[in-house]
Amino acid sequence: MSKKNLVAQGLEGLKAETAQRVSRVPRAADANRDPALPQQFQPAEVPAVAPALVPPAFETAALDGMEQDKQVETLEAAYRDADWAEGHSFQIAKMRGSVRKGELLQLLLDRQAHEHRGLTVGDYAESLGVKRQYVYELIGAAQNIRVLAPLIEETSTPLVASQAAVLAPLYKADPEAAGLVLQAAKDSGKLSAASLTEAAQELGLLPRAEVAPAPNPPLPPAPVSVSDATGRLAFADAYKVLAPKRIEQLVRKDPDAVLRQAEAIEAEITKVQRRVDAAKKAAQKAIGSGA
């Protein structure tokens, strides 16, 4: 074999070997290229294709050759996957966004990006569309979700920042216990930071919050004095003064005063009744004489 053919054969063998080789040098972020390989051995660049918003049709060809029961099982499994994805897509997107934003903010702060732009941290945060007080919340949320990544993957349960804030400390202390808390919260019917906290308290992993004593009930209005009641009494006043709820409150406070008040009202009503009787007699007498 000629020297030229030997060289050509060696190049072909090197290409085949490098095509299967995984480089330990990190790849460029914007291309499927390996910096460890010479230019002539780099793979052809493939333009990035954005994922379709509308999913492709289900490939029924995958069912070919299956027994009917196996086809049904396959379709049911696909349906359950679609149902799960529909219900969790927003949570997944929010969780992924929180992690990415928080970690990028941490990297930017580490590199003093605000000083590079000649801005304060607050002004720099505003330039990125986030308030300063939320910068560290996003960073903390990213750290918590990153800690919980194994549990999230194992249970297929996306978590938002408030939920991760409850679970992350528990997971660091005891991953298995954190898993029990997550399952208990899900079993309650609504996964939230509150249900996670309650589940952790039920399992004795978090202390229960001390319940503040109920505020003292408002004091009932002071009883109307006997003289006051007598001085301004009318039937409408008496009806209001003797309202059952009001009397119930007053009796608990000062039953003797209520009794005196009731007796004074009764005496005044007796006087009024006498005048009513006299007025009726006078009216009846006038009606009789006119007839």
Side-chain angles (χ1 to χ4, degrees):
M1 184 178 294
S2 67
K3 182 177 180 180
K4 182 178 181 180
N5 289 338
L6 284 172
V7 172
Q9 184 178 350
L11 289 174
E12 289 299 325
L14 182 58
K15 287 181 180 180
E17 180 183 349
T18 55
Q20 298 177 359
R21 174 174 173 269
V22 178
S23 171
R24 295 183 181 178
V25 179
R27 293 182 179 274
D30 58 348
N32 186 29
R33 299 173 62 82
D34 191 335
L37 299 180
Q39 176 64 33
Q40 62 266 35
F41 300 128
Q42 294 288 354
E45 291 189 16
V46 179
V49 179
L53 296 179
V54 179
F58 182 81
E59 290 288 348
T60 55
L63 305 175
D64 293 346
M66 291 184 183
E67 297 291 338
Q68 184 175 2
D69 59 345
K70 185 64 176 177
Q71 291 186 23
V72 170
E73 290 176 6
T74 302
L75 291 171
E76 286 176 343
Y79 177 83
R80 285 191 288 269
D81 288 344
D83 184 56
W84 186 91
E86 180 189 28
H88 292 78
S89 58
F90 173 75
Q91 292 94 323
I92 293 172
K94 188 173 181 63
M95 179 183 70
R96 291 172 63 89
S98 295
V99 172
R100 180 57 58 87
K101 288 167 65 177
E103 291 181 342
L104 288 172
L105 283 170
Q106 182 66 72
L107 291 171
L108 287 166
L109 289 181
D110 290 344
R111 286 158 178 76
Q112 302 294 313
H114 56 288
E115 293 185 0
H116 178 71
R117 300 295 185 193
L119 299 171
T120 64
V121 172
D123 290 339
Y124 183 67
E126 293 283 352
S127 73
L128 295 176
V130 59
K131 294 187 180 298
R132 174 172 179 165
Q133 61 265 36
Y134 297 144
V135 169
Y136 298 101
E137 290 184 17
L138 283 167
I139 291 173
Q143 293 170 345
N144 288 334
I145 293 172
R146 187 64 70 190
V147 166
L148 293 166
L151 181 61
I152 291 170
E153 298 295 341
E154 178 185 351
T155 60
S156 298
T157 307
L159 299 172
V160 297
S162 59
Q163 298 163 359
V166 176
L167 268 184
L170 300 176
Y171 187 84
K172 289 177 182 178
D174 188 340
E176 185 176 351
L180 293 176
V181 170
L182 177 58
Q183 187 59 51
K186 292 169 68 175
D187 290 344
S188 71
K190 183 179 181 181
L191 178 60
S192 64
S195 65
L196 286 167
T197 301
E198 184 176 354
Q201 291 172 341
E202 290 288 341
L203 293 171
L205 300 173
L206 285 178
R208 289 190 176 277
E210 294 185 4
V211 179
N216 294 327
L219 295 175
V224 178
S225 67
V226 174
S227 58
D228 185 37
T230 303
R232 65 176 181 80
L233 182 68
F235 282 107
D237 292 326
Y239 188 81
K240 293 177 183 178
V241 168
L242 297 175
K245 288 289 185 184
R246 184 174 184 278
I247 292 298
E248 181 180 344
Q249 291 178 332
L250 295 177
V251 165
R252 288 200 299 267
K253 184 175 179 63
D254 190 349
D256 290 335
V258 173
L259 183 60
R260 291 194 300 272
Q261 182 175 294
E263 289 173 347
I265 292 173
E266 185 179 27
E268 193 68 16
I269 289 175
T270 300
K271 295 178 183 178
V272 173
Q273 187 62 52
R274 289 173 184 165
R275 292 186 179 183
V276 168
D277 292 340
K280 288 171 66 178
K281 287 181 181 180
Q284 290 169 350
K285 183 177 180 180
I287 291 172
S289 62

